[in-house]
Structure formats: C-alpha cells, structure tokens
Amino acid sequence: MATKATQAAKAMAGKAVKTAQAAKAARAARTSGASGASGVSGVSGVSGPADYDAIIVGGGHNGLVAAAYLARSGARTLVLEGRPKTGGAATTEAPWPDAPDFKVTRLSYVMSLLPPTIINDLQLERHGYKIYPMGPYYQAFPEGGSIKLYADDAKRNHDEVSKWSKKDADAMPRWDAWLAGLADVLGPLLLTVPPNIGSRKPRDLSETLRLAWRHRGLDVRTIADVTRLMTMSIAGLLDDWFESPQVKGALAVNGVIGTWAGPYEPGTAYVMAHHSIGDVGDGHLGNWGFQEGGMGAVADAIARAARHAGAEIRTGARVSQLLLRNGRASGVILENGQQLTAKVVVTSLHPRTAFLDHVGRANLPDDFVTDIEHWKTRSGVVKINLALAELPDFTADPGTNLQEHHTGSVEMAPTMPYIERAFTEAREGRPAVRPFSDGVIPTAFDKTLVPEGYHIMSLFTQWVPSDWNEAPHTEELQAYADRMIDCYNEVAPNFKSSIIHSDIVGPYEMEHEYGLIGGNIFHGELSLEQLFHMRPAPGFADYRTPVPGLYYASSATHAGGGVCGIPGMQAARAAIADRRATLRRK
Ligand SMILES: Cc1cc2nc3c(=O)[nH]c(=O)nc-3n(C[C@H](O)[C@H](O)[C@H](O)COP(=O)(O)OP(=O)(O)OC[C@H]3O[C@@H](n4cnc5c(N)ncnc54)[C@H](O)[C@@H]3O)c2cc1C
C-alpha cells in the first residue's frame, strides 16, 4: 500500500495538516510507505494481524463492485452494510405489507451506465443481470396530442417530430450525430482516473499530459462543442437546435434528472450528456433498460459475483467510525462497539458521513474538510411508486392494452417552462404545484414484480424545497403526490382510479433510511464544480483519500452517480495497485 501512502503524503504535503495526528500520519506514510506501523493514534486501533485484507463500508452497488474486484484479486474481503439488505439506492422492495407480491424499485429505476467492462469482468449475466431495453420517451400533452422519441429509430423519430415541427424533424438526425460525437469524447473519460490538475509534481504532470495527449486528435469544433456542453443550460442548448416547445420539453428531461437546477441553469446541458452516453449493451447510445427483478436485482447480481469471488457480506452491520493507527486506516468500529481490522478500508458512503463523521475533522487536512463541508448535495426529488390495476389509457393514444408508449419513459414534462416553473417554486420554498416526472412502467416487460394483470408505475418527480431532508413533511408529500397523479390523470383519465397502492419516498426518508444526505440521489450534485478532478475534492479524485489505506468508492467520485459501478471498480483498482507497488518495493 505504499503508493497510496506516498500519494496521501504527497497530497498532504501542500496542505495545512490540522492536527499532530494527521501530521504524524503523513510523516509515517512518507517514511515507512508501509501499512500497520506500530503505535496507536486517532481512534485507538488494535495491534496484531488484521482480521481482513479489505473492509468495504457500505453494501450499495459500488461497495459490492469494489468487494468483487478486491476478492477476485485474492484479498480477504468483508462488506459491512448498515441496512438489513444490500443494494443501497439500487433496491427492490415490497413496500405494502398487505400486498407482499407487489415489488417496486423503490429509488433508482432504470439502467444504462454500467459499463461492459464491469459486466464482463464480474460475469454479471451469469449471476442474474438481465436487462430489457426500454421503449420510447412518451409525452402526452394536456392540450392534446403526444410525441414519442426513439433511441434507435431515425425514421420513426422523423415521423413523430414532424407532427410538431418539420424543421425539428430534419434537425433530429444531426442532433443525434452531434451527441454521438460528443459521447465518443466523453464516454472514455468516464473510465479515466482524473489527474491531479494543477499539481506540479512529476507524476501528476505526466498524468495530465497523458490525458491531453490522448485528446490531441480533437479539433477546434469538437473542443468548442464540449465547452458548450459543459457550460450551457439544457434550455440554451436545445434553443440552438430546435423550435418546437414539445420537442424541447421531451429532450430536456435528462438535463434536470436528480439535479437541483431548472433547465435554464448553466451546467444542465452536461447533466443531459451524463444521462445520454451510456448504453445497456445493445450498442444504442443513450438507451436505457429495465433490470428483471428491479434495480435490487442488479445489486444482487453484483453481490453474488462478490461472494463467488470469496467476499463475505454482513448486513445489519452499521459502521460508526474509522479505526486509525498512526494516521493510517486500520479498520472500523461498528455501532455495536465491535472493532474489525483490515489492511485497507474502502468506504462507499456519502462524503459527509465517510469523512466528517467516520474519519473526523481532526484527522483530515483543513482544505479537505472545507471542501467536504462545501459539498453541494441537494436535489428536491420525490419518488412515487404506484401499483396499478390497469395500464394508463391515454386520450391521445387510447387503450389499456399494452402498447409501445407504455414501454419506455412516460413523461410529465410537456414544455421547458413547465419544468422551470416546478423548479422555481421549489427554490422559493414551496413544493411544485405541477411537478415534473420521469415515469416508467417496468412491468411492461418484467412479470416478476407483480401478480398477473397488474402493473407497477414508478414516478421520479421533482421538485420539493431543498431543505425537506430536515423533516418528514408527510402530509405535504401526500398532497404533492396527489397533484402529480392529477397531472397524469389529465392525459390518461383512468389513471387515478387505477391506483391500488402508493408509496412516497421524500428527501427525509432518502437521507435517514438510505444515507443519501440532503436527499441527493448521487451523493452530491453533478454541478460543474463537482465533476471530474473536483469530485469529491481537488487533489483526491483518484479514489484515494487524505488518509493512507482509506479508498473512496461512492457516487461522489468521478463517473458517479448512477448505477454505474465505476467508483467501486476504480477504488478497488487503486487499492490493488498500491498493494502491488508495496509488495514490489518489499
Ligand atoms: C430516487 C432515486 C432514483 C434514481 N434513479 C436512478 C436510475 O434510474 N438509474 C441510475 O443509474 N441511477 C439512479 N439513481 C442514482 C443511483 O441509484 C445512485 O447513484 C447509486 O445507487 C449510488 O450507489 P452507491 O453504491 O455509490 O451508494 P448507495 O447506494 O447510497 O450505497 C451506500 C450504502 O451504504 C450503506 N450505509 C450507509 N451508512 C452506513 C454505515 N454507517 N455503515 C454501513 N453501511 C452504511 C447504505 O445503507 C447503502 O446501502 C437514483 C437514485 C435515487 C435516490
């Protein structure tokens, strides 16, 4: 682990080290470059051989991916999950005690970002990973009519968009090609470990140069396009391409998903790109899919892969603190007081929990503490899960029989001003009167979630005020959900009466039950100042942390959020690489 130790020491060298403990840790790392130096600092550690080679804090999908990679490398690996089940925000649950046969993907709901590298390395298909590619985006408009947008069918897109604007229909293939070109640039960056930009140390400089060299083929136009994407609002970008409010509304959805920002805010164009550069393995860029068995089944498949490789997974095992020996991570303390030691610890929790609560401010450099304190983690998301007796019967596309428009996203985002109004109301401290929703009906394909003849509809909705993580707001959430349902009822008049069960998850529950601080779905906003080399803090975007022996695998690192597993894979790779470097040196 010496490379890690050296890295952390390097990172600390330019920073004010807050306490003697941290200074001592940095010195120990610099001089020994080794793990397990004797003596105790920070929270008292236990001497003697470690219980495990690696402990993973948090059994969300990223923690499980990290565990699978570490176990495959031969490390004795333990995952500690605080909840009674693994999966974190990738969870399938039966929220209605009187209807245990109805299962919902309670939080995250669709797949796209998990790269083939991870699917293949962990042989996830063997362990139960099975995706049904989704149908088109569908929006039925309150004033009548509808639009469908396909991820992979230019001819039908042309027909659909022509209903609203011939000019936009002609622009659509160019837009798709433009996005594909940008995905060629941005896609590989998702799997790139961000360099420590600004550092003058030789290794950091060479990493930065290597990245620049990789992109030497980019021309002036492409760099300009990337710049636009990184700096513009999704509204501004779409205004450059399209004229029809209906088309722009449909294309704006991906720009505001999970974001504490309306479509006119700079940076939302990038959020759209983040949600548009994955594919579900079928080669269609931007396509999304439903996991059979819900999103919990993705986490289950990864957990099976981890166990298959030898990892041990404990649930109901909540970690309360990191154990430090000589400033180096040496294990954890559970809430029940049990201490478990390990040569390395990988934490996959929200940065405030992982660093400020578990490591403690006194054991971290001042700059890093400030960065984590300033970490933006709002979103105002409310998830509404519904069990339906029949499919929505849209006035624009009648029938309760399963039709194509039921198989993809069933949106409530008719225009950009509609979405903007929902955000403005929440920013002013009121829940949206007419919320925006990204709805899906996974049971259009997946028959494992409900008894025959029934359906689940999952509504990812925004916004409520960003401080609703501080109190349950139960009655107001119910009223908000009722208004959301009314919006769908306007375009599908059987909708309200078809609902037999409902489940509302607001920011307070997301924070207190699932550890999503502030209710942010990605462990931190995807705002420009929190991307790439800034995620989660400058100088520590390489999945290492200021504490030697502690690695970071949460969605708050580069490529997160989303169910993409990349943070878990990269943190494990960093730990494995550092261990190999230490062994080589020895
Ligand atoms: C409402 C919602 C909708 C979303 N929709 C999508 C979507 O459709 N597609 C998509 O790709 N992404 C979606 N996301 C985002 C995605 O789900 C998350 O980015 C991702 O699941 C986070 O994974 P993770 O492993 O980094 O963290 P988490 O899933 O948060 O896992 C962290 C784990 O740590 C555990 N934990 C917390 N504290 C402790 C402790 N002290 N000790 C031990 N364990 C602890 C938690 O219980 C949890 O299991 C959505 C998220 C939400 C909330």
Side-chain angles (χ1 to χ4, degrees):
M1 303 293 164
T3 306
K4 162 70 205 94
T6 313
Q7 271 260 343
K10 272 196 304 179
M12 285 175 123
K15 295 168 182 270
V17 178
K18 196 171 199 168
T19 65
Q21 284 168 345
K24 193 172 161 194
R27 272 199 306 279
R30 255 195 310 268
T31 51
S32 76
S35 63
S38 61
V40 172
S41 70
V43 178
S44 63
V46 184
S47 51
D51 300 325
Y52 293 90
D53 293 324
I55 285 179
I56 317 294
V57 184
H61 85 285
N62 271 318
L64 295 169
V65 167
Y69 275 95
L70 280 158
R72 275 161 42 97
S73 80
R76 288 170 305 134
T77 304
L78 171 68
V79 178
L80 296 168
E81 165 55 45
R83 296 187 72 231
K85 67 197 289 283
T86 51
T91 181
T92 305
E93 298 179 23
W96 303 295
D98 53 339
D101 295 347
F102 286 79
K103 295 178 226 78
V104 300
T105 60
R106 214 164 172 241
L107 298 172
S108 60
Y109 51 108
V110 280
M111 289 298 295
S112 168
L113 300 163
L114 192 67
T117 311
I118 295 179
I119 297 169
N120 296 334
D121 282 353
L122 304 187
Q123 298 187 302
L124 292 184
E125 282 164 3
R126 228 184 97 194
H127 294 292
Y129 181 76
K130 178 178 176 189
I131 301 291
Y132 298 101
M134 284 170 71
Y137 274 77
Y138 175 71
Q139 171 71 57
F141 296 102
E143 63 278 15
S146 67
I147 189 168
K148 295 190 205 91
L149 290 178
Y150 299 83
D152 55 358
D153 196 327
K155 162 85 180 66
R156 285 157 97 192
N157 271 346
H158 193 273
D159 295 346
E160 282 290 322
V161 175
S162 293
K163 292 196 295 197
W164 300 98
S165 160
K166 176 76 176 57
K167 187 168 163 248
D168 288 356
D170 293 342
M172 208 66 189
R174 291 197 302 277
W175 165 257
D176 285 339
W178 186 76
L179 269 186
L182 286 172
D184 286 346
V185 180
L186 296 177
L189 279 183
L190 283 182
L191 286 166
T192 300
V193 176
N196 193 0
I197 296 172
S199 162
R200 297 195 183 144
K201 300 202 170 74
R203 182 179 144 172
D204 294 334
L205 277 172
S206 86
E207 291 295 328
T208 308
L209 286 174
R210 201 198 313 254
L211 184 67
W213 182 249
R214 248 176 51 199
H215 292 95
R216 67 194 180 284
L218 295 185
D219 58 17
V220 172
R221 295 299 316 172
T222 312
I223 300 230
D225 286 343
V226 172
T227 307
R228 286 195 183 97
L229 196 75
M230 301 307 287
T231 54
M232 285 180 81
S233 69
I234 183 64
L237 185 66
L238 292 174
D239 282 345
D240 285 349
W241 283 84
F242 301 103
E243 62 177 13
S244 145
Q246 291 83 357
V247 174
K248 287 192 268 188
L251 292 175
V253 169
N254 277 345
V256 293
I257 288 276
T259 304
W260 181 250
Y264 294 92
E265 304 278 326
T268 46
Y270 172 75
V271 178
M272 179 276 299
H274 184 84
H275 287 101
S276 307
I277 57 181
D279 75 62
V280 289
D282 61 356
H284 295 303
L285 186 72
N287 209 359
W288 288 75
F290 300 115
Q291 161 71 34
E292 184 173 88
M295 296 296 279
V298 177
D300 289 347
I302 303 169
R304 266 184 225 113
R307 284 202 180 93
H308 183 74
E312 181 188 338
I313 300 173
R314 283 193 215 169
T315 53
R318 190 161 289 279
V319 170
S320 62
Q321 251 175 317
L322 184 79
L323 265 177
L324 294 169
R325 281 179 66 202
N326 286 342
R328 184 185 165 85
S330 66
V332 296
I333 307 179
L334 299 185
E335 257 181 13
N336 66 9
Q338 188 183 5
Q339 293 194 7
L340 292 161
T341 57
K343 292 176 188 158
V344 296
V345 177
V346 178
T347 179
S348 61
L349 273 44
H350 189 283
R352 298 230 177 111
T353 317
F355 298 111
L356 304 186
D357 297 346
H358 288 182
V359 180
R361 288 173 170 78
N363 299 307
L364 292 164
D366 281 344
D367 288 355
F368 185 81
V369 169
T370 305
D371 289 336
I372 301 300
E373 282 173 344
H374 291 173
W375 182 248
K376 299 281 183 292
T377 186
R378 305 155 296 178
S379 74
V381 167
V382 178
K383 184 75 192 305
I384 304 171
N385 301 302
L386 304 171
L388 307 180
E390 62 181 1
L391 287 167
D393 183 2
F394 290 95
T395 310
D397 299 276
T400 56
N401 54 317
L402 180 62
Q403 298 173 65
E404 196 182 32
H405 59 271
H406 295 121
T407 63
S409 301
V410 184
E411 308 293 10
M412 187 46 65
T415 63
M416 208 94 73
Y418 177 104
I419 307 173
E420 174 68 6
R421 202 169 307 120
F423 177 64
T424 307
E425 286 161 352
R427 185 162 53 188
E428 287 170 357
R430 304 181 306 279
V433 174
R434 293 174 67 84
F436 140 83
S437 163
D438 184 36
V440 291
I441 307 175
T443 44
F445 299 99
D446 183 357
K447 306 300 176 198
T448 68
L449 296 173
V450 282
E452 184 151 0
Y454 293 92
H455 286 280
I456 292 296
M457 186 158 180
S458 145
L459 307 181
F460 179 95
T461 77
Q462 291 170 183
W463 287 262
V464 295
S466 61
D467 61 0
W468 276 27
N469 61 312
E470 292 168 14
H473 291 277
T474 312
E475 281 164 24
E476 289 155 290
L477 277 177
Q478 183 62 58
Y480 168 94
D482 289 345
R483 293 198 298 277
M484 183 79 259
I485 289 163
D486 285 343
C487 291
Y488 276 104
N489 211 60
E490 284 173 21
V491 292
N494 73 331
F495 189 60
K496 207 167 172 171
S497 59
S498 71
I499 298 170
I500 51 174
H501 300 287
S502 65
D503 167 49
I504 307 166
V505 193
Y508 182 86
E509 189 173 354
M510 287 184 202
E511 175 166 323
H512 290 83
E513 174 62 31
Y514 295 94
L516 302 168
I517 308 297
N520 186 277
I521 71 167
F522 299 135
H523 288 194
E525 296 169 34
L526 289 179
S527 45
L528 293 182
E529 80 282 12
Q530 297 191 164
L531 293 180
F532 202 54
H533 64 293
M534 305 289 283
R535 196 167 181 85
F540 296 99
D542 64 352
Y543 310 90
R544 297 173 173 93
T545 74
V547 179
L550 179 65
Y551 296 82
Y552 196 37
S554 112
S555 285
T557 60
H558 171 59
V563 182
C564 68
I566 298 171
M569 176 186 74
Q570 299 288 32
R573 280 183 175 172
I576 293 165
D578 290 354
R579 184 175 58 183
R580 289 194 178 140
T582 304
L583 292 176
R584 267 201 306 277
R585 248 191 302 276
K586 278 183 180 165

